[in-house]
Amino acid sequence: MRKWTIPSVLLVLFLLCALPDQGRKLGANAEGEADELVDPPKVEEKLGAVPNGLSTDSDVAKREAESMSKRSLRSNAEKFEFQAEVSRLMDIIINSLYSNKDIFLREIISNASDALDKIRFLSLTDKEILGEGDNAKLEIQIKLDKENKILSIRDRGIGMTKEDLIKHLGTIAKSGTSAFVEKMQTSGDLNLIGQFGVGFYSVYLVADYVEVISKHNDDKQYVWESKADGAFAISEDTWNEPLGRGTEIKLHLREEAAEYLEESKLKDLVKKYSEFISFPIYLWASKEVDVEVPADEDESTEKSSSEEEGDEDAEKTDDEDAEKKPKTKKVTETTYEWELLNDVKAIWLRNPKEVTEEEYTKFYHSLAKDFSDEKPLAWSHFTAEGDVEFKAVLFVPPKAPHDLYESYYNSNKSNLKLYVRRVFISDEFDELLPKYLNFLKGLVDSDTLPLNVSREMLQQHSSLKTIKKKLIRKALDMIRKIAEEDPEDANNKDKKDTEKSGDEDDEKKGQYAKFWNEFGKSIKLGIIEDATNRNRLAKLLRFESTKSDGQLTSLDQYISRMKSGQKDIFYITGNSKEQLEKSPFLERLKKKNYEVILFTDPVDEYLMQYLMDYEDKKFQNVSKEGLKLGKDSKDKDLKESYKELTKWWKSALASDNIDDVKISNRLDNTPCVVVTSKYGWSANMERIMQSQTLSDASKQAYMRGKRVLEINPRHPIIKELRERVVKDPEDESVKNTAQLMYQTALMESGFMLSDPKDFASRIYDSVKSGLNISPDAAVEEEDDAEEAETESEEASAPPKDKPDATEDAETTEAKDEL
């Protein structure tokens, strides 16, 4: 028994040791099987050391590629519908035959630059908002995945919260969406999309599926995705690499957009559209390099056999070197690294003499998001020194924005970007330029303004007023220069052509006329608003006149053509040039060879209330009292001979609130006109005010000018009327004629009749008289016989077939179902 005891104990111990090891193996196998089933994403170690910042674990990449290839929204994502206007916009883009699809990249880069500007501005007051490591690098990265046809653009900007993704990319369309849709339907120019704030949607020119991965400091990382089918989805991102902060846009390109997976194509686009973006743009680019690798054994053997042919000393030396350095050879390998695409120094920091015209044009297109083929009309690049130092570049756009005057007094947005020591601060300063110059594009970079203050405090900074004053002066000089360099401008036509005429002169032709057609109203508004620069702005005014032959002319040109002894600058306002040229107010002026300015813009009425004189010459509205055309010795005699008629006519028009009846010095072929007092509204101004949506007639009464009827003493009608009044002042026909002439004069002078029916009745009475029809002739009454016959026919007509009860029940039932 004892003999078996010791072996038994040893066997039991052996089994006890073996069983735990087997259990561990089984557990390990179970865990391995679980790993194969679940396959959780593996986040790469040393994330900060990853050179591209866009790569993911290989398993994750494979799984994502399979998911994306299906082009379907994730089932666990929260679904949303696009707002109607956004859907319309996307339908237009997707179905567009627009050939220039390249614009999508510039719009995405522009949006990325805006996001980087925002985070950099916030970092001025909160240094920690940028984070550490790669997150603190304010840059834009572009990466290609040719195998899966994915183009990725990433920025480290401010990022978007979940609410931001919903708001900006789907449900709440910005005001520009509707405006762009309307513009697109009329002009078909998709190139303007960036100016309307909806540039993101241009990605659907090249992609049929888009992912937007975004991380804001105040929220988790989310994914926005859409196939542009009227819906989008948002879900919390738990599978992509953590961004840290910023936004990455993944474009799953269409088959026909494969060209955008070529590095050379992307480099060209960035250089063309985004060269002057103020943040570095990197491309994950391939590069072929020569590297040394260990040589093959055969090559080493051949080399060693050839070395044996030398002398022994050389062999010993080579052997020693061989022991120190292994045999290698050079081969070409493809490597990838981040390549900087926009290494151009900021234009405004360079010497203006070193910047080419092409560079200014490119910079304007980038700054204004205007990528049409047209160049800016002019630019001014300057440095201001003194108490306040700053650099600035100003541009005059080739065309006015679509909404330039729609929200003129309500919009606070400026087209000038403010930088402080190369750091973008804001583009919402309406203190840099007055509203009438808000069509100018450009930027200001100041070394004097403080960085770490709020936008509100900066607006109160004393230096801002100095900057504004200098910017206005430079802007007006730039506009004046357009006129001076235009050989077709009115002020240059009389100058002797001493300079050589070449291509440059041809290019300048008509430039100021083009500027005036686009922005002339802004100059007029400037005269109204800016008393300090009123005279300088008046020199920029252009208009047509009775002697300009359809061309624009200036006040300086008008003064140079004034007749000797003429003290006033004559003008008239109205609806159109054609109407004004036929106006009775111009008859005597034309006959005496006076020039009259023709103002046809509604704003001109307001303009002339502020522009009282120019170069010591007063302005005179020829439709108002006070017109002086020199003294006539017969005037006194005429007034005396027509004294009885004017007195009688004034009393006859007492109910029409006529202030006076006078002998006219401005008429030639017209019997009479109605003029207004010097300081009241003209007929044109009355019409403008009455057409206002919220006009109040009771409050306008005191602004209406006093009306004066001026008669032409040389006209046969007036002469005959005088004789009849002398014979019988109480003659009703004469009174009716006088009333009709006054109403006709009101209409011809541009006034609106208060009682059109009364005027029409007097016209019909006059027609009756001309046709020798009795004033008492009645209108023939309608014959009732025909009407009675029609009624009898309807009564004798057979009744329509009535539906039976079954049909009636079925009809009722069908209606109930509907």
Side-chain angles (χ1 to χ4, degrees):
M1 194 68 180
R2 288 179 184 176
K3 185 169 39 175
W4 295 103
T5 301
I6 294 173
S8 300
V9 170
L10 292 173
L11 180 61
V12 170
L13 290 172
F14 176 76
L15 290 171
L16 289 172
C17 293
L19 283 171
D21 184 63
Q22 186 66 23
R24 282 193 297 270
K25 288 181 180 178
L26 290 171
N29 290 336
E31 288 175 9
E33 291 173 4
D35 283 341
E36 290 175 6
L37 292 171
V38 177
D39 194 16
K42 299 177 183 178
V43 179
E44 288 194 16
E45 297 180 359
K46 299 180 182 179
L47 182 61
V50 176
N52 51 44
L54 292 173
S55 62
T56 57
D57 175 88
S58 58
D59 293 335
V60 176
K62 182 179 179 182
R63 195 163 60 254
E64 283 297 299
E66 292 174 355
S67 173
M68 294 307 101
S69 64
K70 297 175 183 178
R71 296 291 193 273
S72 59
L73 304 182
R74 293 175 178 83
S75 59
N76 62 341
E78 189 176 355
K79 307 295 193 304
F80 298 88
E81 295 291 327
F82 281 114
Q83 192 180 22
E85 289 296 339
V86 178
S87 294
R88 280 182 65 202
L89 172 65
M90 295 175 76
D91 287 341
I92 289 174
I93 292 173
I94 293 167
N95 300 316
S96 171
L97 298 177
Y98 191 62
S99 59
N100 185 17
K101 301 182 186 297
D102 298 346
I103 64 169
F104 83 93
L105 185 62
R106 73 147 197 254
E107 297 300 334
I108 296 301
I109 290 177
S110 178
N111 290 344
S113 176
D114 292 342
L116 291 166
D117 274 330
K118 289 176 182 176
I119 196 66
R120 183 164 66 174
F121 179 74
L122 293 175
S123 70
L124 298 177
T125 52
D126 183 4
K127 297 289 184 184
E128 296 181 359
I129 200 169
L130 288 179
E132 299 178 350
D134 287 343
N135 284 339
K137 297 178 181 177
L138 300 181
E139 59 191 16
I140 300 169
Q141 298 175 335
I142 304 173
K143 192 174 182 184
L144 306 172
D145 182 351
K146 291 187 178 182
E147 184 178 347
N148 295 311
K149 297 180 181 177
I150 297 176
L151 173 62
S152 301
I153 301 98
R154 174 177 176 178
D155 66 73
R156 301 184 191 276
I158 195 168
M160 287 181 279
T161 63
K162 180 182 178 181
E163 293 301 317
D164 290 337
L165 288 169
I166 297 171
K167 178 180 178 182
H168 297 306
L169 302 184
T171 59
I172 302 178
K174 295 183 179 179
S175 59
T177 308
S178 301
F180 174 72
V181 169
E182 292 172 8
K183 185 77 174 178
M184 181 64 190
Q185 288 176 336
T186 54
S187 68
D189 190 2
L190 197 61
N191 203 37
L192 301 174
I193 189 168
Q195 298 181 30
F196 293 83
V198 288
F200 165 76
Y201 301 106
S202 63
V203 295
Y204 289 102
L205 287 168
V206 297
D208 52 12
Y209 184 90
V210 177
E211 290 180 281
V212 179
I213 306 162
S214 195
K215 173 68 174 73
H216 190 281
N217 283 342
D218 298 336
D219 206 348
K220 299 177 182 178
Q221 183 166 312
Y222 285 93
V223 176
W224 178 99
E225 53 184 331
S226 176
K227 296 190 296 180
D229 56 355
F232 64 95
I234 295 179
S235 53
E236 185 179 340
D237 187 4
T238 57
W239 56 89
N240 287 308
E241 175 193 336
L243 295 180
R245 186 197 65 252
T247 301
E248 179 183 349
I249 298 178
K250 291 184 177 180
L251 307 181
H252 298 260
L253 300 178
R254 301 177 181 180
E255 291 292 335
E256 62 270 23
E259 61 179 313
Y260 299 106
L261 292 171
E262 300 298 327
E263 292 176 14
S264 58
K265 176 70 173 179
L266 294 178
K267 288 178 182 179
D268 291 342
L269 291 183
V270 171
K271 185 172 181 60
K272 180 178 180 181
Y273 293 121
S274 308
E275 186 177 13
F276 295 102
I277 293 292
S278 56
F279 297 97
I281 303 172
Y282 291 98
L283 175 67
W284 188 239
S286 60
K287 186 179 180 181
E288 291 187 349
V289 295
D290 293 332
V291 296
E292 291 190 353
V293 297
D296 295 337
E297 290 184 3
D298 295 340
E299 292 179 6
S300 300
T301 305
E302 290 176 7
K303 191 172 183 181
S304 60
S305 62
S306 64
E307 287 172 352
E308 289 176 0
E309 296 176 2
D311 51 71
E312 293 181 4
D313 293 336
E315 284 180 6
K316 290 178 181 179
T317 304
D318 291 340
D319 290 340
E320 291 174 1
D321 292 340
E323 290 176 5
K324 294 178 183 178
K325 296 180 181 178
K327 306 297 183 183
T328 61
K329 66 176 181 179
K330 286 187 177 182
V331 296
T332 302
E333 288 187 357
T334 302
T335 61
Y336 288 85
E337 62 182 15
W338 289 115
E339 181 180 339
L340 181 63
L341 302 183
N342 60 332
D343 56 352
V344 179
K345 185 180 178 183
I347 266 191
W348 65 91
L349 300 178
R350 295 162 61 186
N351 188 330
K353 295 179 181 178
E354 298 174 357
V355 185
T356 65
E357 182 177 313
E358 184 181 359
E359 287 178 314
Y360 278 123
T361 302
K362 282 186 177 180
F363 181 63
Y364 164 76
H365 287 158
S366 174
L367 184 74
K369 298 183 180 179
D370 174 11
F371 292 92
S372 61
D373 294 332
E374 294 185 89
K375 297 191 299 184
L377 293 177
W379 54 82
S380 178
H381 181 187
F382 60 93
T383 301
E385 297 178 347
D387 296 338
V388 178
E389 294 185 358
F390 66 91
K391 296 177 175 64
V393 184
L394 301 176
F395 293 93
V396 178
K399 288 185 178 179
H402 67 287
D403 58 349
L404 179 59
Y405 303 110
E406 288 178 9
S407 56
Y408 180 79
Y409 289 106
N410 297 325
S411 175
N412 292 324
K413 186 173 175 61
S414 170
N415 286 316
L416 282 191
K417 295 180 180 290
L418 176 64
Y419 287 74
V420 175
R421 298 168 207 165
R422 268 64 67 198
V423 177
F424 174 74
I425 302 298
S426 175
D427 58 359
E428 297 179 0
F429 276 104
D430 54 351
E431 298 297 324
L432 286 174
L433 279 176
K435 285 186 180 294
Y436 69 88
L437 289 176
N438 64 1
F439 63 88
L440 296 178
K441 309 278 187 181
L443 63 82
V444 178
D445 189 351
S446 172
D447 291 330
T448 309
L449 295 172
L451 265 174
N452 55 346
V453 292
S454 67
R455 184 178 292 123
E456 290 74 20
M457 290 177 64
L458 199 57
Q459 284 182 322
Q460 304 301 323
H461 201 277
S462 58
S463 298
L464 216 56
K465 293 182 180 178
T466 307
I467 293 175
K468 180 177 181 178
K469 186 177 179 181
K470 292 184 178 180
L471 285 175
I472 293 173
R473 189 176 72 248
K474 286 290 186 179
L476 296 183
D477 287 345
M478 173 175 60
I479 296 170
R480 176 179 52 79
K481 193 176 179 182
I482 300 176
E484 289 177 350
E485 293 180 351
D486 184 356
E488 292 185 351
D489 186 62
N491 286 349
N492 300 326
K493 286 184 178 179
D494 294 338
K495 293 180 182 178
K496 293 182 179 179
D497 190 13
T498 54
E499 299 180 2
K500 294 180 180 178
S501 177
D503 294 338
E504 187 176 345
D505 287 339
D506 293 338
E507 191 175 325
K508 301 289 184 183
K509 281 182 180 178
Q511 288 292 84
Y512 195 74
K514 183 178 180 181
F515 165 82
W516 185 256
N517 291 333
E518 296 290 336
F519 306 107
K521 189 175 290 185
S522 293
I523 301 299
K524 295 175 182 178
L525 290 168
I527 293 174
I528 295 170
E529 298 169 5
D530 190 353
T532 305
N533 295 292
R534 188 164 289 155
N535 194 58
R536 299 179 72 189
L537 286 162
K539 289 184 177 294
L540 301 175
L541 273 179
R542 296 294 183 270
F543 42 80
E544 290 188 54
S545 75
T546 53
K547 289 188 177 181
S548 65
D549 297 325
Q551 303 296 317
L552 293 175
T553 189
S554 66
L555 288 174
D556 289 330
Q557 279 290 299
Y558 180 96
I559 291 174
S560 70
R561 293 193 293 260
M562 284 176 66
K563 290 180 65 175
S564 59
Q566 182 182 345
K567 296 180 180 179
D568 297 334
I569 299 173
F570 299 130
Y571 73 93
I572 188 172
T573 59
N575 277 333
S576 65
K577 176 188 171 186
E578 292 74 19
Q579 181 196 46
L580 292 178
E581 285 178 332
K582 298 175 184 177
S583 172
F585 295 110
L586 303 185
E587 290 176 355
R588 195 82 176 275
L589 290 159
K590 284 183 177 178
K591 190 173 183 180
K592 289 181 173 287
N593 200 30
Y594 284 103
E595 183 175 8
V596 182
I597 296 170
L598 308 176
F599 283 130
T600 56
D601 193 338
V603 76
D604 292 332
E605 284 284 356
Y606 301 92
L607 167 70
M608 299 316 295
Q609 293 176 26
Y610 292 87
L611 190 61
M612 308 301 293
D613 57 76
Y614 179 78
E615 301 292 342
D616 298 326
K617 303 289 185 183
K618 299 287 184 181
F619 285 92
Q620 172 63 50
N621 189 336
V622 298
S623 68
K624 289 187 174 184
E625 281 188 311
L627 180 65
K628 296 177 182 178
L629 301 177
K631 291 184 179 181
D632 190 339
S633 58
K634 297 180 181 180
D635 286 350
K636 192 172 182 180
D637 296 336
L638 283 172
K639 286 180 182 179
E640 190 63 32
S641 62
Y642 280 87
K643 186 175 181 179
E644 188 175 350
L645 175 62
T646 55
K647 186 178 179 180
W648 172 86
W649 210 334
K650 181 179 178 180
S651 63
L653 299 175
S655 61
D656 293 282
N657 295 321
I658 195 75
D659 190 61
D660 202 358
V661 179
K662 295 181 178 179
I663 301 297
S664 179
N665 65 341
R666 69 187 88 213
L667 297 176
D668 185 40
N669 300 317
T670 304
C672 56
V673 290
V674 177
V675 301
T676 54
S677 57
K678 191 167 185 179
Y679 298 105
W681 284 346
S682 65
N684 187 53
M685 188 64 173
E686 276 193 33
R687 180 187 57 79
I688 292 171
M689 295 307 296
Q690 287 174 2
S691 65
Q692 299 296 316
T693 307
L694 303 176
S695 63
D696 187 345
S698 62
K699 293 181 180 179
Q700 293 176 4
Y702 73 96
M703 283 301 297
R704 290 196 182 99
K706 294 179 179 179
R707 297 176 182 178
V708 175
L709 177 65
E710 290 192 358
I711 60 174
N712 183 357
R714 298 170 185 83
H715 200 281
I717 293 178
I718 301 300
K719 288 182 177 182
E720 180 64 25
L721 197 62
R722 180 184 61 174
E723 291 179 6
R724 295 202 179 192
V725 167
V726 170
K727 288 180 182 178
D728 185 5
E730 300 302 323
D731 188 345
E732 285 299 322
S733 64
V734 176
K735 288 183 179 180
N736 285 335
T737 302
Q739 185 69 34
L740 181 59
M741 288 184 66
Y742 169 68
Q743 290 176 330
T744 306
L746 274 176
M747 289 185 62
E748 194 174 17
S749 302
F751 292 94
M752 297 179 69
L753 295 178
S754 58
D755 190 356
K757 178 65 177 175
D758 180 62
F759 172 71
S761 298
R762 294 180 189 279
I763 289 291
Y764 295 143
D765 289 342
S766 178
V767 172
K768 283 181 182 179
S769 176
L771 296 174
N772 294 322
I773 299 173
S774 172
D776 299 327
V779 178
E780 184 179 346
E781 293 187 7
E782 186 178 357
D783 189 3
D784 295 337
E786 186 177 345
E787 186 177 345
E789 185 179 345
T790 305
E791 289 179 357
S792 63
E793 287 178 358
E794 289 179 354
S796 60
K800 294 180 179 178
D801 294 337
K802 293 184 179 180
D804 57 23
T806 307
E807 282 184 359
D808 193 43
E810 289 176 355
T811 305
T812 305
E813 185 179 349
K815 287 182 178 178
D816 290 342
E817 288 179 359
L818 288 173

